[in-house]
Amino acid sequence: MLLASCTPDSPPVPDPTKTRQPTVTPTPVGEVPAPKSFFRTSWAEDPFARGALSITPAGSTSTERQALAAALMERVFFAGEATSVERPGTIAGAVRSGERVAGEIADVAEDGERIAIVGAGAAGASAAARLIDAGFDVTVIEARDYAGGRLATQRDDDWPVPPQRGAWLLGADDTEVASRMALLGVGSVAVTDPVGFTTDGETENPSGDALKTAIAEARDGIADRTILDALEDAGIEQSPELAAVLSSLSAMTGVDPATGSSWFAPAPPGGSFDALVSDVAPFVDSVLGDLEVTLSTVVSHVSYDDSGVSLRLASGESLTFDRVALTVPLGVLQAGGIEFEPPLPFAHRGAISTLEMGHLESVWLRYETPFWSTDAGIWHIVGPVTPTPTPTPTPSPGEEPAPDTTIRTWINLLPATGEPILVGLVGGAAARAIAELGDDDVFTLAATSLAPFTEPAPSE
């Protein structure tokens, strides 16, 4: 679902080594108890990512991704899931982009040249492995203190099933990645049986048929429209069920229906996934092999001409190479995390500004015992989470309405793993808003969102 590698615009901030806990213990909301362990992601606020994955906004096409992937003077090359035309925003897209860029470099580089790879995610690792096999002197530079980029596991003994920071749900199109994960000993379980939930209890899984119809009709139009515009054009009225479908689409893909392309819209999520339930490090480590990665090192400036490349580090040092492959996330480029001299061509800058960084965040909660009774593996909340919902504040003139930050999509890992672990997923504008919240606020928001899954209090 999401992936690639990483780099920066400020000195590295070490990732926490222990599961984050709220600084205080909030009062349980309703009948939802406090969990034994808590972990949340915040990719939108991460200086080495600035989001979870690239998406295609309305008006954009694969041309922008091709432009972003174009090499500069056969010295500076670009990889990462954002440069993938076939599988943007995926682990497979990141891996294939790394393999592509390694081939491009090998075609023009001479024996003995020194090659730098910036980013040790799936794209950077794949590129480095191919170039090493071709006999080149390769240096991999990574801003984080670990390899893997947006594919990483939170290692913590408190969790029998460790939280995944990034991509961890594999769909029907990810068979190649799933097979490789299995060969490397990365465990996975099937997550199935999606259902809907309201304040009255379990109901049918919200149908995505109306969304599919609107997208199909929009693709026959003369101009690309946003997903929300496509629904309006198709005469499909808003409803709690449609809102749940759109929330699920965002939570699984990162796309924001208000900006996402209807021509290149991701397919609505299916009914089952393979969930990764062990450390995913072998996926990258096995590719890097014995290569020593330079960690916690931020590249802030790239200078290039027809004779070579100079990389300036945030520490003030400069390193020279014959060629460099940049596998940093689109969000880092959009934030100006790396300066270029000479400046990037208009085609590259246009692609960077046109494409969009999508947002996906997750909240992991581990309980002592389950407080829910359903065996369904995927939950979708339809409508309000309490019988008397809090009114949404009316926005001031000219202001956008605040996004609904209810965590409407949940993965129940209990049936597949035997562990009472719930994972809340949120995407799009809601994910961006949640990423800005503190741990205590996210904790309370998760508990509030889980209210429909509690057993009703016994009547007297």
Side-chain angles (χ1 to χ4, degrees), residues 244-266:
V245 169
L246 294 176
S247 177
S248 173
L249 179 70
S250 294
M252 295 294 186
T253 67
V255 69
D256 184 347
T259 61
S261 165
S262 57
W263 282 3
F264 301 97

Side-chain angles (χ1 to χ4, degrees), residues 135-179:
F136 293 101
D137 180 5
V138 177
T139 299
V140 179
I141 303 172
E142 169 58 50
R144 302 182 186 277
D145 60 0
Y146 64 88
R150 286 171 282 164
L151 180 66
T153 302
Q154 176 72 12
R155 299 170 183 173
D156 193 321
D157 293 338
D158 287 343
W159 290 84
V161 176
Q164 304 294 343
R165 303 181 192 177
W168 69 294
L169 294 177
L170 306 179
D173 295 334
D174 296 309
T175 54
E176 181 181 346
V177 171
S179 296

Side-chain angles (χ1 to χ4, degrees), residues 1-2 52-53 55 211 227-228 242-260 266-269 356 358-362 380 403-404 406 408-409 425-432:
M1 285 176 45
L2 76 115
L53 71 169
I55 63 171
L211 175 60
I227 295 173
L228 287 186
L242 178 59
V245 169
L246 294 176
S247 177
S248 173
L249 179 70
S250 294
M252 295 294 186
T253 67
V255 69
D256 184 347
T259 61
E356 186 174 320
H359 297 291
L360 281 172
E361 305 296 353
S362 61
H380 299 298
D404 175 14
T406 303
R408 295 190 174 275
T409 299
L425 305 176
V426 64
R432 184 68 186 89

